[in-house]
């Protein structure tokens, strides 16, 4: 027998990752719903998927959900943008200029390791309860992943490529543009996955303390008035957003940096 | 005739922080003629790459001097270009844009860059692969890109640091023949480092054997084989005699 037939994987085999993952999610919600067939249900302490779904429909229907999301999105994106603009150059310079790195590394490590979220009330007092206060909290929490990943990216730059550009007459600025920044870019995108998660937490925390609108405010208010169906609904929406953002970035990484595939 | 590139008593010691200094070159003398293909062989760690980096202008020497056209080399210049053993291609750039790198750094307009890249892609036998990324190429193809990139700025001198060492034996034989063809067409001075005696003899006008570290020129062999070189010359008595002679000069320097 010379040739072997190429076996085409069945649908179930080909999509088993998604199928199994999705099945577990569905099973989780089904179990959540079903458990109250055996356990008494108290709507003041817990909710269940059927009620959450109804609450979500109501929030979407009234437009409240989108309004709150839109309100929260503004400081989220402003804070993240500021974190990129500050964090990436800072991390690159720390990595490329050893003395800057030696000077700032301990300080940054301390900040990164500390529970910065505890500063949120202080930041709200300094910067107000509006967009600026929340954006500052987002910035403070999300800037460090950009700094550290850019820093790590610079240290991983292939010295040979530096020599290549130098030998062809490139100056310092050319090194940044042609080698360092492109090498660091995948690290920055990977860092943004972490940063996005922290930025979401930052927005919620900022809105828990003091706010009159926004998705974090909605969650805390629904909690206060024991509207647990809508509270859980908002939490699920935030979770979904977190998953979509991080998975979207993961997908973008594979699409944009094909030479790193398999690394 | 004065050497086109001339190294006189070149000495260089690396002083890495927290480690013992390494004397890489200890009075290396060399004179490379214009248009010559000169190979350097020597035990590993004897300072071959170091010397090429000095000529390239990336490494400063401690004493002695390296002259090009009688003038000391002060830094990188577009009259010299290096082909690196590990290729050194920018992974996020296509073949075409890798070839254009040197021209880009020299602020050559895009039209002219593209024209040069198109010509070189053909010269190195990569037509059709312009839009491929390095990770899609074989080792031999990557080094063709490395060679095209070095040729793009039209340097007078090509420095080649074990350019084919990372390739398998057959690809290496093929690349050697291709290099000779390109060298004949482009008329460059080539300074070629290798640890393969066969390769050095087959390609070169002269072969310099270096001593162990700190590297000096131990002996220079003139390779009298006619050009163009044919693959069959590798099995002639003349070739084998040279090989034996060079090996005998080299083997005392190799510390296993
Ligand atoms: N940047 C450096 N710092 C310290 N030592 C170095 C450096 N570059 C090379 N060396 C040392 O100098 C010697 C010569 O290196 P090299 O020129 O690369 O040898 P080769 O002849 O194998 O190309 C080696 O012992 C090497 O370890
Ligand atoms: Mg070497």
């Amino acid at each position: 027998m010379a040739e072997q037939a190429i076996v085409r994987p069945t649908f179930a085999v080909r999509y088993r990752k998604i199928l199994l993952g999705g099945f577990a999610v569905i099973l989780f919600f089904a179990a959540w719903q079903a458990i109250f067939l055996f356990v008494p249900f108290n709507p003041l302490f817990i909710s269940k998927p059927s009620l959450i779904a109804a609450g979500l429909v109501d929030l979407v229907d009234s437009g409240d959900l989108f309004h709150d999301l839109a309100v929260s999105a503004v400081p989220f994106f402003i804070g993240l943008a500021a974190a990129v603009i500050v964090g990436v150059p800072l991390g690159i310079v720390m990595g490329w200029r050893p003395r800057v790195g030696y000077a700032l590394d301990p300080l940054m490590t301390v900040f990164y390791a500390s529970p910065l979220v505890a500063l949120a009330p202080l930041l709200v007092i300094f910067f107000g309860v509006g967009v600026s206060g929340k954006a500052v909290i987002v910035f403070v929490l999300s800037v460090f992943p950009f700094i550290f990943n850019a820093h790590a990216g610079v240290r991983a730059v292939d010295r040979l490529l530096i020599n290549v550009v130098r030998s062809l007459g490139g100056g310092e600025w050319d090194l940044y543009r042609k080698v360092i920044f492109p090498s660091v870019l995948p690290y920055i995108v990977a860092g943004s996955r972490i940063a996005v998660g922290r930025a979401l937490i930052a927005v919620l925390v900022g809105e828990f303390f003091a706010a009159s609108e926004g998705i974090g405010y909605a969650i805390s208010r629904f909690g206060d008035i024991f509207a647990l169906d809508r509270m859980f609904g908002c939490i699920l929406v935030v979770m979904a957003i977190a998953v979509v953002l991080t998975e979207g970035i993961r997908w973008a990484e594979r699409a944009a940096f094909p030479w790193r595939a398999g690394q | 005739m004065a050497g086109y590139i001339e190294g006189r008593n070149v000495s260089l010691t690396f002083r890495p922080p927290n480690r013992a200094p390494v004397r890489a070159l200890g009075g290396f003398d060399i004179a490379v003629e214009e248009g010559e293909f000169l190979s350097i062989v020597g035990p590993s760690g004897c300072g071959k790459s170091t010397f090429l980096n000095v000529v390239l202008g990336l490494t400063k020497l401690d004493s002695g001097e390296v002259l090009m056209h009688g003038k000391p080399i002060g830094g990188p210049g577009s009259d010299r270009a290096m082909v690196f053993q590990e290729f050194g291609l920018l992974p996020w750039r296509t073949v075409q844009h890798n070839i254009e790198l040197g021209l880009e750094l020299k602020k050559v307009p895009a039209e002219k860059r593209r024209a040069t890249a198109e010509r070189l892609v053909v010269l190195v036998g990569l037509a059709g692969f312009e839009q491929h990324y390095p990770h899609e190429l074989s080792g031999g193809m990557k080094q063709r890109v490395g060679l095209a990139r070095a040729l793009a700025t039209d340097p007078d001198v090509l420095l080649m640091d074990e350019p084919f060492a990372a390739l398998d034996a057959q690809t290496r034989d093929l690349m050697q023949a291709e290099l000779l063809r390109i060298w004949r067409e482009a008329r460059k001075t080539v300074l070629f480092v290798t640890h393969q005696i066969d390769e050095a003899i087959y390609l070169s006008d002269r072969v310099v054997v270096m001593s162990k570290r700190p590297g000096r020129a131990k002996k220079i062999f003139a390779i009298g084989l006619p050009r163009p070189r044919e693959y069959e010359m590798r099995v002639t008595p003349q070739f084998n005699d040279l090989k034996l002679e060079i090996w005998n000069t080299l083997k005392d320097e190799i510390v296993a």
Side-chain angles (χ1 to χ4, degrees):
Chain A
M1 208 189 86
E3 280 173 55
Q4 253 196 332
I6 296 166
V7 181
R8 278 180 63 89
T10 63
F11 180 83
V13 170
R14 209 149 18 129
Y15 294 102
R16 63 184 165 181
K17 209 169 144 189
I18 292 173
L19 288 175
L20 287 172
F23 181 66
V25 172
I26 292 167
L27 200 67
F28 171 78
F29 284 106
W32 185 357
Q33 183 74 28
I35 197 163
F36 297 110
L37 298 174
F38 312 103
V39 186
F41 179 73
N42 182 343
L44 291 185
F45 296 118
I46 191 70
S47 190
K48 55 185 174 182
S50 56
L51 295 179
I52 294 169
L56 265 179
V57 168
D58 180 40
L59 283 175
V60 171
D61 206 31
S62 67
D64 286 354
L65 181 64
F66 294 114
H67 175 74
D68 282 325
L69 286 176
V71 166
S72 301
V74 174
F76 176 81
F77 285 113
I78 292 176
L80 262 183
V84 172
I85 291 167
V86 173
V88 169
L90 189 58
I92 287 180
V93 172
M94 279 172 64
W96 191 239
R97 294 293 173 136
R99 264 174 291 184
V100 180
Y102 296 147
L104 296 183
D105 202 28
L107 196 64
M108 295 299 156
T109 306
V110 166
F111 279 137
Y112 192 36
S114 63
L116 287 168
V117 111
L119 295 179
L122 211 58
L123 293 172
V124 168
I125 292 170
F126 283 159
F127 297 99
V129 296
V131 169
S132 48
K134 289 190 268 181
V136 169
I137 300 174
V138 170
F139 170 81
V140 166
L141 258 81
S142 62
V143 73
F144 293 100
F146 288 112
I147 295 175
F148 281 97
N149 275 47
H151 190 187
V154 173
R155 279 182 303 186
V157 167
D158 187 349
R159 306 299 302 188
L160 175 58
L161 302 185
I162 297 288
N163 280 346
V164 165
V165 170
R166 280 220 173 103
S167 75
L168 291 170
E172 186 81 0
W173 180 237
D174 293 312
L175 295 181
Y176 277 112
R177 272 183 30 207
K178 314 261 183 219
V179 180
I180 298 173
F181 187 69
S183 313
V184 168
L185 199 55
Y187 286 78
I188 296 168
V189 175
S192 71
R193 257 191 288 137
I194 304 164
V196 157
R198 291 169 66 100
L200 274 174
I201 294 172
V203 169
L204 295 188
V205 169
E207 291 175 346
F208 286 170
F209 281 110
S212 52
E213 44 185 0
I215 193 75
Y217 167 75
I219 289 172
S220 86
R221 183 174 49 95
F222 288 135
D224 289 345
I225 63 170
F226 298 103
L228 295 191
D229 53 344
R230 276 162 291 171
M231 185 190 90
F232 275 113
C234 291
I235 291 174
L236 285 181
V237 166
V238 173
M239 276 166 56
I241 289 171
V243 169
V244 166
L245 287 177
T246 45
E247 285 306 305
I249 293 168
R250 213 187 283 278
W251 175 84
E253 281 178 75
R254 281 195 298 266
F257 313 121
W259 66 90
R260 291 177 60 85
Q263 267 189 28
Chain B
M1 179 181 158
Y4 190 60
I5 298 172
E6 202 173 343
R8 290 196 199 130
N9 199 22
V10 181
S11 299
L12 190 153
T13 302
F14 287 106
R15 301 176 197 286
N18 311 323
R19 271 189 294 135
V22 179
R23 258 189 94 197
L25 292 167
F28 185 54
D29 287 305
I30 195 171
V32 190
E33 308 288 324
E34 186 156 2
E36 183 179 26
F37 199 122
L38 185 136
S39 288
I40 300 175
V41 296
S44 77
C46 75
K48 303 183 294 293
S49 299
T50 303
F51 180 69
L52 285 195
N53 279 320
V54 170
V55 177
L56 192 59
L58 288 183
T59 306
K60 298 259 173 291
L61 38 70
D62 294 335
S63 64
E65 54 186 358
V66 178
L67 308 171
M68 197 172 158
H69 284 308
K71 284 203 239 25
I73 287 171
S78 51
D79 49 359
R80 287 148 286 145
M82 177 95 104
V83 178
F84 297 86
Q85 177 180 347
E86 303 296 343
F87 319 127
L89 305 181
L90 307 187
W92 47 85
R93 282 181 175 235
T94 60
V95 166
Q96 183 194 334
H97 288 133
N98 264 293
I99 295 173
E100 290 181 14
L101 178 64
L103 299 171
E104 223 176 281
L105 293 167
K106 281 175 67 184
K107 310 267 185 296
V108 173
E111 269 312 300
K112 261 186 91 180
R113 293 203 307 255
R114 177 139 20 97
T116 306
E118 267 169 27
R119 183 173 56 78
L120 286 171
V121 154
V122 174
L123 181 72
V124 300
L126 281 179
F129 291 93
E130 293 85 348
Q131 302 311 318
H132 283 58
Y133 286 89
H135 72 96
E136 301 171 308
L137 304 178
S138 68
M141 293 162 91
K142 284 182 194 165
Q143 199 54 296
R144 287 167 192 266
V145 180
L147 184 58
R149 178 180 63 193
L151 291 169
T153 46
D154 198 22
D156 301 325
V157 178
L158 267 186
L159 305 167
M160 306 186 77
D161 192 359
E162 306 198 28
F164 306 146
L167 309 180
D168 65 78
Q170 282 93 44
T171 308
R172 189 161 55 220
D173 287 350
L174 196 70
M175 292 295 287
Q176 289 166 1
E178 292 268 297
L179 175 60
L180 285 181
R181 175 181 62 80
I182 290 165
W183 174 67
R184 229 177 18 247
E185 284 178 33
R187 281 280 139 218
K188 306 288 181 195
T189 303
V190 179
L191 197 47
F192 190 99
V193 165
T194 176
H195 58 257
Q196 269 221 314
I197 298 175
D198 282 72
E199 183 172 70
I201 298 172
Y202 178 63
L203 295 174
S204 310
D205 297 315
R206 289 188 299 157
V207 175
V208 177
V209 176
M210 282 179 76
S211 72
K212 61 175 170 282
R213 192 176 63 231
R216 289 174 299 97
K218 186 176 183 190
K219 195 163 175 189
I220 299 175
F221 294 85
I223 309 299
L225 299 170
R227 292 195 187 268
R229 300 277 160 88
E230 308 290 347
Y231 192 83
E232 294 74 39
M233 290 177 186
R234 293 165 184 257
V235 292
T236 56
Q238 196 186 354
F239 192 100
N240 284 322
D241 291 348
L242 272 168
K243 190 171 163 182
L244 193 61
E245 243 187 295
I246 292 175
W247 168 245
N248 282 330
T249 309
L250 183 59
K251 72 174 182 218
D252 303 331
E253 304 299 327
I254 297 171
V255 274

